[in-house]
Amino acid sequence: MDAELSGQLVVPDGARGVVLFAHGSGSSGRSPRNRYVAAALNEAGLGTLLFDLLTPEEEYDRANVFDIELLAGRLLTATERVREQSAAANLPLGYFGASTGAAAALSAAAEPDADVAAIVSRGGRPDLAGPRLASVRAPTLLIVGGHDEQVLELNREAQRELGGESRLEIVPGATHLFEEPGALDQVADLTGSWFVTHFT
């Protein structure tokens, strides 16, 4: 299933790498939380691509939101296009996944020829990547709210299956959307540190 997807690529001067945002509902480009984190990454000297994995029409079918193979394929296509951009051609790339987008990011990174330097999952469902988790070699940071108990347990289970370096960071008192005061700031700080560390 091919679709014409649009996105916003920002690459600051002297960028250390570029982070592609993957959101399962297709709303990566419109998500205020993703925009907030992306702005923080730009301030830290990292490039970002905010784009939608699904078209607005595709979003109406909830099955597409959980079609990890479809989402991962779209992410890989976007990755190829970023590498074709002169501003990002020789920079390391990373994935930031939320919701089912985290599973898409991990599934894409599990491809044998994937050249992904690092991955961050925010309140994601990495468990939905299933057996592909074992093939992920990119260092992976899982960020989960302390009060998002069901997702936290799913992340713990997925972390045990990951094939490469991984870390689980729990944001105390935060729920699934990290709407509590200061919670999203912690997400942005953890995310920036992870990518800066693994892009250098």
Side-chain angles (χ1 to χ4, degrees):
M1 191 192 309
D2 293 325
E4 190 63 36
L5 303 172
S6 60
Q8 181 183 14
L9 177 66
V10 176
V11 184
D13 290 339
R16 308 181 198 197
V18 178
V19 178
L20 286 75
F21 282 66
H23 197 289
S25 70
S27 65
S28 184
R30 303 185 300 278
S31 163
R33 286 172 292 279
N34 281 354
R35 287 184 175 277
Y36 186 90
V37 174
L41 296 184
N42 295 155
E43 285 289 322
L46 300 174
T48 53
L49 175 66
L50 286 167
F51 75 110
D52 297 336
L53 289 171
L54 298 172
T55 66
E57 294 75 23
E58 289 170 337
E59 281 189 67
Y60 284 114
D61 184 351
R62 287 290 294 172
N64 288 327
V65 175
F66 290 90
D67 189 338
I68 305 305
E69 185 175 349
L70 168 66
L71 300 177
R74 296 277 173 85
L75 182 55
L76 287 168
T77 298
T79 303
E80 292 173 6
R81 291 182 181 171
V82 168
R83 292 197 189 283
E84 293 168 358
Q85 305 300 312
S86 57
N90 297 311
L91 295 176
L93 300 185
Y95 293 153
F96 179 93
S99 182
T100 54
L106 290 161
S107 186
E111 288 294 317
D113 58 349
D115 184 16
V116 181
I119 301 168
V120 174
S121 163
R122 171 185 63 80
R125 289 291 308 276
D127 57 294
L128 294 176
R132 297 183 67 77
L133 290 170
S135 299
V136 176
R137 293 291 176 262
T140 301
L141 174 65
L142 307 171
I143 306 174
V144 186
H147 287 169
D148 194 8
E149 295 175 5
Q150 183 177 3
V151 171
L152 177 56
E153 185 53 39
L154 291 170
N155 273 254
R156 284 185 171 129
E157 293 172 6
Q159 186 186 20
R160 289 193 284 270
E161 302 299 323
L162 282 166
E165 174 192 350
S166 66
R167 193 167 90 211
L168 174 63
E169 286 282 354
I170 301 170
V171 178
T175 51
H176 186 61
L177 296 180
F178 298 91
E179 296 173 306
E180 295 71 24
L184 204 55
D185 290 315
Q186 291 186 58
V187 170
D189 289 345
L190 289 166
T191 299
S193 296
W194 190 259
F195 284 123
V196 167
T197 297
H198 291 94
F199 280 171
T200 53

